[in-house]
Amino acid sequence: MDLQDPRPRVLVTRRIFAPVLERLSASLSLDVHDSDQALSPEALRERLAGCDGAFVATTERIDAALLDACPRLRAVCSMAVGYNNIDLPACTARGVLVSNAPDVLTETTADFGFALLLATARRVTESEHFLRAGQWRTWSVDLFAGQDVHGATLGILGMGRIGQAVARRGVLGFGMKLVYHNRSRLPAQTEAALGARWVDKDTLLAEADHLVIVVPYTPETHHLVGAAELARMKPGATLVNIARGGVVDDAALAQALRDGPLAAAGLDVFEGEPSVHPGLLAASNVVLTPHIASASLRTRLAMAHLAADNLLAFFSGGTPPTALNREVLARPR
Ligand code: DGY
């Protein structure tokens, strides 16, 4: 980064795609942390202190203390849809624009949620490990017999854009019955089109053969599914988490996978990731993936371009397309 450069200074907190960097560097002065290793909180504070903007993902924690150490900061643009790592009220209070990256990842993430559901219910990875380990000796009548997906009851916890996209796949592609729980109900027309039934959380847990969790992570959704909720699920049910680590109590989940009632789980997100609870690592009836639900190349590129669109719009005096706190735009930039 050239300190004499009069253009707004932006820290890019990780390695991103070259075409996105090219677009940004045409009008911004960039400090690029060109690595997949997240900056430590201290390094982030040091690098961000002299910057006007930040390009972030899910791994950088932007809180009040960091904002106070970086008084120059005017915009934080994330390439993720989830923004639980950013203290939005603290940003708004200090006039810092925040944007996320919704919509562009909806279908890709729903594809992956469904892939996890199928792999979990039909024991795809567990049986593959068995085969690769040379343990397959003979065909047998119940070898890796799992749970049916077609015609089963799909439960969706969190019926936002991604939840609805998973639901469409289940209902239209697999003839599933649909129950969901969300703070607000879908419009009657959408419910009717999917045959969706809104139920309270306990009924959802009791009725779902396959539960897919897609709620944002907030203080209210911390351990939304813990030991008590898991105990309400059907014997032989499966659970898929593509939301955020922390929404499910991973220790309780590991126990429910060992002692019942769950048959299996598919998890793309974990409490304290990239660490994974040892009880989950030890369980054979869980499919584990490293937070990749949105990771098709095309979608990850679109997510990064959207974060760039927001930064470029903000620093050129325009309206960032997916700002989360537009009210700060009324203030002088
Ligand atoms: C998101 O966008 O929030 C995803 O979890 C990151 O892939």
Side-chain angles (χ1 to χ4, degrees):
M1 185 169 63
D2 174 3
L3 293 179
Q4 307 307 318
D5 191 336
R7 300 177 305 169
R9 285 184 208 159
V10 170
L11 175 65
V12 178
T13 58
R14 57 180 45 254
R15 182 176 66 83
I16 60 165
F17 303 101
V20 180
L21 280 182
E22 237 166 76
R23 283 183 65 215
L24 289 170
S25 60
S27 48
L28 301 169
S29 169
L30 299 185
D31 174 10
V32 182
H33 174 60
D34 193 19
S35 167
D36 294 329
Q37 213 54 54
L39 286 162
S40 67
E42 298 72 37
L44 179 64
R45 194 172 54 237
E46 205 173 295
R47 297 272 286 264
L48 205 51
C51 288
D52 305 287
F55 181 116
V56 303
T58 56
T59 42
E60 291 72 39
R61 185 158 181 69
I62 311 288
D63 56 17
L66 179 72
L67 293 168
D68 290 340
C70 306
R72 220 178 128 148
L73 195 63
R74 299 270 59 91
V76 174
C77 298
S78 174
M79 65 171 282
V81 65
Y83 53 91
N84 52 294
N85 55 319
I86 303 172
D87 185 337
L88 184 59
C91 287
T92 306
R94 290 161 181 77
V96 177
L97 182 280
V98 179
S99 68
N100 68 337
D103 299 322
V104 288
L105 80 181
T106 299
E107 299 300 327
T108 298
T109 304
D111 283 350
F112 195 83
F114 221 83
L116 265 186
L117 167 48
L118 288 168
T120 300
R122 297 303 309 277
R123 308 178 67 179
V124 173
T125 55
E126 191 186 354
S127 59
E128 190 197 355
H129 292 149
F130 167 88
L131 182 151
R132 283 183 188 275
Q135 292 175 280
W136 188 23
R137 301 275 176 262
T138 181
W139 184 91
S140 75
V141 68
D142 56 357
L143 182 66
F144 290 105
Q147 317 294 323
D148 271 329
V149 172
H150 72 275
T153 297
L154 173 62
I156 304 270
L157 184 54
M159 200 54 137
R161 290 167 285 226
I162 297 172
Q164 289 178 51
V166 173
R168 280 197 303 277
R169 283 157 176 75
V171 172
L172 304 177
F174 287 77
M176 298 179 86
K177 295 177 271 300
L178 179 63
V179 286
Y180 75 97
H181 180 70
N182 203 46
R183 271 180 313 184
S184 50
R185 280 184 70 155
L186 293 174
Q189 220 179 345
T190 315
E191 278 194 353
L194 291 173
R197 196 159 49 88
W198 183 94
V199 290
D200 61 36
K201 194 174 98 178
D202 285 352
T203 306
L204 179 81
L205 296 163
E207 288 194 9
D209 295 311
H210 305 291
L211 177 71
V212 180
I213 301 172
V214 210
V215 288
Y217 185 46
T218 63
E220 293 73 42
T221 62
H222 178 71
H223 286 187
L224 186 65
V225 177
E229 289 74 19
L230 292 164
R232 287 196 182 95
M233 293 184 71
K234 277 185 186 173
T238 72
L239 175 153
V240 167
N241 186 7
I242 52 169
R244 275 287 182 275
V247 172
V248 176
D249 177 342
D250 284 351
L253 178 59
Q255 189 165 348
L257 286 165
R258 201 182 53 226
D259 304 336
L262 286 190
L267 308 173
D268 187 48
V269 287
F270 306 89
E271 287 190 277
E273 63 186 49
S275 294
V276 176
H277 191 283
L280 295 174
L281 288 173
S284 58
N285 53 344
V286 55
V287 181
L288 305 168
T289 54
H291 202 148
I292 56 167
S294 64
S296 73
L297 269 181
R298 190 171 67 163
T299 290
R300 283 283 166 90
L301 185 60
M303 291 160 71
H305 272 304
L306 185 49
D309 292 344
N310 279 287
L311 277 167
L312 293 169
F314 179 81
F315 285 112
S316 64
T319 303
T322 55
L324 289 162
N325 54 355
R326 272 166 206 263
E327 56 270 39
V328 306
L329 296 172
R331 303 183 200 170
R333 281 182 236 181

